[in-house]
Amino acid sequence: MNPIDKKYRYAKTGKLLIEIVPDKCDFCGCCVGVCPEDAIELKEAEIFIIDSRCTNCAKCVWSCPIEVIKFNKDGVII
Amino acid sequence: MKNEYDVVVVGSGPAGSMAARFAAEKGVSVLMLEKDRDVGYPVRCGEAISKAGVEEFIPSDEKWINARISKFSLNAPNGTECVIEFGDAGYVLERRIFDYELAKTAAKAGAEILTRAYVNGLLFSDDKVCGVKYEYRGEQKEVKAKVVIAADGVESRVGRWAGIKTYIDYRDMECCTQVTAANINANEDTLYFYFGKDVAPQGYFWVFPKGGNCANIGLGVSGIVGKKKSALSFLNEFMEQHYPGAPILTSIAGGVPSAPTLEKISAPGILIVGDAARQVNPLSGGGIASGMIGGSIGGRIAAEAIKMNKLDHILTYDKAWHDRLGKRHETFNRIKNGIYNFSDDKFNNIAHSFNKIPKDKRTLGRVFTVALINNPSLLIDVAKVFIV
Ligand SMILES: Cc1cc2nc3c(=O)[nH]c(=O)nc-3n(C[C@H](O)[C@H](O)[C@H](O)COP(=O)(O)OP(=O)(O)OC[C@H]3O[C@@H](n4cnc5c(N)ncnc54)[C@H](O)[C@@H]3O)c2cc1C
Ligand code: SF4
Ligand code: SF4
């Protein structure tokens, strides 16, 4: 991908961004269950954050049993 | 497939299947939608259940019983083991077959089932839910319903779209990971539980035998713990220490909403059942049996409302659930909160005192009694469990 075409998710509240590490997710729904903003879309084998709703509260990060949602200080490509 | 049903159920777990079945048995038309390819798979569960919990809904059948359980082994942090025997009381299931069989009972009662149907929105008419939007093989579709039953499990989004607060406090979420491993030496009639800050703080670790030297080995920890250390790290450490090199047949993640039932589980045109409604026993984390109970009540009440042509009747579901189990779960939750704050020393003391009781008098109730010597304020709550 041309770097100029890259789009980033920006945090509304702070510098840390939430990222779902690709290919590591088990699609278990734990993060979706704790998200106060209904900001995670989870299909059979597909997951993504609905950027406009996410407040970067990090509750999903704390709840992921297998360390799939993480902070990424550098910015997250969408 | 029609484009209108009396009842549409979202999710085909134990709660969804029982909702579909109990509604269909009363003669209303039912469609159950499931996002995954298969009913019952993937399995995100330790698969332990009491015999009574099963047999309220389906006769016991060897084809989905992996192990017959007659003992609990509770293990304190210092290794002290308390064994409690109680006859032929429970099973470890093969849930991919069990859930499938439950769905078949719904189908037999007349419910239609569609897999690979991902529900992504609700239909409304005058602020009342009147159907769902779903994606099926890449196509966006709609189906109308007099009553929608949300049985969409721990992720539970359907209820939110109807304005019900279904998300769970991360502190109450038991964040779990489990492997099914082979070559595990464990008694096949015993459920093993491990407690303490090193194995599973604010939760517990389990080894549930599945027959043929296989076992479900996993744990759940609260989101508070997960903030510092993930369930996965705890599991890796335990496996390394106890079963290094054991072949891993399955590994899964999952969440158990260990809290009392949601304050509101019905709204005009919609009912919530099972994990989605937080109908889990907050103390044990068991939700198969209670989900089936919630689903059956929801399905029955939805059908009654349709038959009576009085859709407001579905709002009686909250109370019906509360009377059957919801109230008990509130008590279990208070006990859970008490036990979660126990230190390792306290667990060790309880185990030690318990083992002084004569063998034939060791019951689960007595574990709690002994626990009370250490924590008298729990007394009232425990008394309620056994009296109410
Ligand atoms: C690791 C772990 C161990 C456990 N161990 C035990 C145990 O030993 N004993 C016990 O009793 N309980 C246990 N539980 C709890 C138990 O698994 C659940 O309580 C039970 O499965 C709840 O049933 P349910 O029907 O409410 O939800 P689920 O079984 O989760 O079913 C929900 C269904 O809805 C589907 N769905 C979700 N969203 C949508 C959508 N938008 N559109 C269409 N379909 C959708 C899902 O794909 C899923 O099939 C455990 C849970 C975990 C995570
Ligand atoms: S950071 Fe908070 S709002 Fe954003 S997806 Fe995670 S839980 Fe939801
Ligand atoms: S909690 Fe973790 S493993 Fe589970 S769906 Fe969310 S990101 Fe994936």
Side-chain angles (χ1 to χ4, degrees):
Chain A
M1 197 195 316
N2 184 330
I4 302 160
D5 295 338
K6 278 184 187 167
K7 288 184 179 166
Y8 290 91
R9 275 181 13 82
Y10 292 103
K12 295 188 190 79
T13 48
K15 289 194 197 92
L16 300 174
L17 286 159
I18 306 300
E19 174 184 36
I20 300 177
V21 182
D23 301 330
K24 274 181 85 177
C25 180
D26 194 43
F27 312 106
C28 73
C30 219
C31 56
V32 184
V34 299
C35 175
E37 310 297 335
D38 193 17
I40 306 177
E41 187 79 29
L42 172 68
K43 300 188 187 180
E44 180 174 16
E46 193 184 331
I47 187 167
F48 54 89
I49 291 174
I50 304 166
D51 195 33
S52 57
R53 293 187 196 163
C54 175
T55 59
N56 274 273
C57 71
K59 293 188 169 114
C60 56
V61 178
W62 303 329
S63 307
C64 178
I66 55 171
E67 304 171 21
V68 176
I69 305 196
K70 287 190 161 166
F71 294 111
N72 185 332
K73 293 190 184 89
D74 303 326
V76 179
I77 303 167
I78 49 171
Chain B
M1 276 261 328
K2 300 178 285 184
N3 51 18
E4 191 167 350
Y5 289 81
D6 290 323
V7 174
V8 166
V9 179
V10 183
S12 67
S17 282
M18 287 306 100
R21 169 175 141 193
F22 277 73
E25 277 175 354
K26 287 212 169 266
V28 302
S29 64
V30 179
L31 172 68
M32 179 159 73
L33 299 172
E34 166 57 50
K35 74 172 162 54
D36 291 349
R37 195 184 65 183
D38 300 282
V39 170
Y41 184 80
V43 179
R44 304 184 186 285
C45 189
E47 306 180 288
I49 189 169
S50 73
K51 194 171 165 184
V54 169
E55 290 185 342
E56 183 172 345
F57 296 99
I58 188 167
S60 291
D61 188 334
E62 287 307 324
K63 77 177 161 212
W64 41 254
I65 297 172
N66 273 329
R68 293 177 176 273
I69 300 303
S70 56
K71 284 183 203 142
F72 274 5
S73 157
L74 308 176
N75 296 274
N78 67 1
T80 309
E81 185 188 25
C82 303
V83 178
I84 303 160
E85 298 189 31
F86 43 72
D88 181 18
Y91 303 130
V92 176
L93 301 171
E94 182 62 42
R95 260 194 78 181
R96 66 179 79 189
I97 301 177
F98 181 73
D99 282 25
Y100 208 79
E101 291 300 317
L102 290 180
K104 273 161 70 178
T105 68
K108 198 168 165 218
E112 290 178 38
I113 305 173
L114 190 66
T115 62
R116 289 214 154 147
Y118 173 62
V119 173
N120 54 14
L122 289 172
L123 302 173
F124 291 92
S125 114
D126 303 328
D127 287 342
K128 189 182 136 317
V129 175
C130 67
V132 305
K133 301 178 193 172
Y134 67 101
E135 195 184 297
Y136 178 66
R137 295 172 176 255
E139 261 181 69
Q140 190 61 36
K141 301 189 174 235
E142 291 184 359
V143 59
K144 288 199 161 175
K146 296 197 177 88
V147 180
V148 170
I149 300 185
D152 52 335
V154 65
E155 58 258 54
S156 179
R157 298 177 68 208
V158 176
R160 301 191 202 200
W161 303 331
I164 300 173
K165 175 196 163 290
T166 69
Y167 75 88
I168 185 163
D169 191 314
Y170 76 99
R171 290 167 292 196
D172 291 330
M173 183 66 93
E174 283 294 308
C175 311
C176 306
T177 183
Q178 174 184 280
V179 291
T180 305
N183 304 349
I184 302 300
N185 259 332
N187 289 330
E188 294 197 352
D189 59 355
T190 307
L191 296 181
Y192 297 85
F193 299 85
Y194 299 83
F195 302 91
K197 68 174 179 1
D198 291 337
V199 286
Q202 302 202 7
Y204 63 83
F205 202 105
W206 65 83
V207 177
F208 294 168
K210 270 177 81 75
N213 276 346
C214 294
N216 289 334
I217 304 178
L219 79 149
V221 291
S222 148
I224 296 190
V225 175
K227 230 169 163 171
K228 300 200 182 76
K229 185 170 168 181
S230 70
L232 182 66
S233 315
F234 284 102
L235 181 62
N236 288 343
E237 282 171 18
F238 189 93
M239 291 305 288
E240 200 52 47
Q241 198 184 339
H242 296 270
Y243 306 110
I248 306 298
L249 304 170
T250 318
S251 61
I252 53 104
V256 178
S258 296
T261 312
L262 298 176
E263 258 166 54
K264 208 174 145 202
I265 50 177
S266 64
I270 187 167
L271 297 178
I272 312 183
V273 301
D275 274 16
R278 316 307 177 209
Q279 288 172 333
V280 177
N281 174 342
L283 181 58
S284 67
I288 309 170
S290 52
M292 291 196 286
I293 291 171
S296 66
I297 298 173
R300 172 179 58 78
I301 289 181
E304 282 170 4
I306 291 159
K307 287 266 171 183
M308 295 192 290
N309 203 8
K310 198 170 153 264
L311 290 181
D312 279 357
H313 177 64
I314 67 168
L315 304 177
T316 61
Y317 166 60
D318 291 54
K319 185 173 183 310
W321 162 258
H322 189 76
D323 292 347
R324 175 73 205 270
L325 268 185
K327 211 166 140 200
R328 261 177 160 239
H329 283 185
E330 285 169 12
T331 311
F332 287 145
N333 190 55
R334 283 197 294 273
I335 299 174
K336 177 198 96 169
N337 289 335
I339 290 175
Y340 272 24
N341 294 323
F342 279 6
S343 64
D344 279 9
D345 280 347
K346 202 168 251 180
F347 279 124
N348 292 336
N349 285 340
I350 294 167
H352 186 73
S353 318
F354 180 77
N355 280 342
K356 285 191 195 147
I357 301 172
K359 214 170 165 202
D360 56 326
K361 296 212 170 95
R362 291 179 198 169
T363 63
L364 201 55
R366 273 184 212 258
V367 175
F368 285 115
T369 317
V370 174
L372 295 174
I373 299 165
N374 291 279
N375 198 342
S377 64
L378 275 178
L379 181 64
I380 298 160
D381 287 334
V382 173
K384 277 186 197 152
V385 178
F386 294 101
I387 296 163
V388 183

